Amino acid sequence: MRWEDLDQQPCSLARTLAVVGDRWTLLILRDSFLGIRRFDVFEQRLGITRHVLTDRLKKLVSYGVLYKSPYQERPLREEYRLSDKGLELYPVILGLVSWGDKHMSDERGAPIVHTHKTCGLHMHPSTHCSECGDAITAKDVKLSVGVNWQGHLDEFLPKKPATQT
């Protein structure tokens, strides 16, 4: 599988990685959720080259994750804002941050605390079933091929190993 072809794969994760699957893009998204919108501020905060930043921002705009919004008329200057599609990535970013807080932090603990505005308490993301509300882990989920993909993905999902007698 070639990196350039990820968006053509019959896998939602591969297609998603084609858009957000490199370190600079994830850091741009992090900063976007922190309220950063302007090219020069991204460049300064991330220490990223102009060429790479331009490339990543163009990709995020082309996939509809960010959109450009003018903030100055003459000369025209635009900032980058999260679209609704981009805002839907928040649980993904929050999940990565939470994993990092748990597994990658030092003796000082989490660098940023997330507080739920409604209840005022510090929170950690969790995944729940959309139908029954139960908390779920990877062990609680069964995978099957989508109805419109029948016959196309038989080789994609791993086969259940034969039980030994």
Side-chain angles (χ1 to χ4, degrees):
M1 182 179 325
R2 295 175 37 142
W3 183 254
E4 308 84 47
D5 300 330
L6 281 181
D7 63 345
Q8 303 301 311
Q9 293 296 313
C11 169
S12 295
L13 180 59
R15 290 176 181 182
T16 301
L17 288 175
V19 180
V20 300
D22 71 81
R23 63 184 175 176
W24 291 121
T25 302
L26 288 171
L27 292 173
I28 290 166
L29 288 170
R30 175 205 61 191
D31 280 5
S32 295
F33 282 110
L34 291 173
I36 305 304
R37 295 187 178 120
R38 298 193 178 166
F39 186 95
D40 57 330
V41 181
F42 283 119
E43 182 182 29
Q44 178 186 20
R45 284 176 54 94
L46 298 174
I48 187 173
T49 66
R50 294 181 73 79
H51 170 74
V52 172
L53 179 57
T54 298
D55 179 64
R56 297 319 187 272
L57 289 170
K58 275 185 185 175
K59 180 183 263 190
L60 288 168
V61 169
S62 73
Y63 278 99
V65 175
L66 297 176
Y67 66 92
K68 291 181 184 182
S69 177
Y71 68 88
Q72 180 178 307
E73 291 287 326
R74 293 178 189 245
L76 176 63
R77 296 194 186 270
E78 298 173 308
E79 60 187 11
Y80 296 88
R81 294 180 169 264
L82 288 158
S83 65
D84 289 342
K85 190 176 184 178
L87 289 168
E88 289 179 13
L89 284 167
Y90 189 68
V92 175
I93 300 298
L94 189 58
L96 288 170
V97 168
S98 181
W99 185 90
D101 289 346
K102 182 175 181 178
H103 298 289
M104 302 302 293
S105 62
D106 59 21
E107 65 279 350
R108 296 172 290 182
I112 296 174
V113 177
H114 295 84
T115 304
H116 185 218
K117 288 180 180 180
T118 302
C119 70
L121 298 175
H122 299 310
M123 49 81 59
H124 302 281
S126 59
T127 303
H128 293 79
C129 174
S130 62
E131 304 307 311
C132 72
D134 283 356
I136 57 172
T137 67
K139 293 179 181 179
D140 301 318
V141 178
K142 175 185 159 194
L143 304 177
S144 58
V145 176
V147 67
N148 292 324
W149 291 89
Q150 294 295 329
H152 299 283
L153 296 179
D154 294 333
E155 72 285 349
F156 186 73
L157 292 176
K159 303 289 185 249
K160 201 172 191 179
T163 56
Q164 296 180 344
T165 56

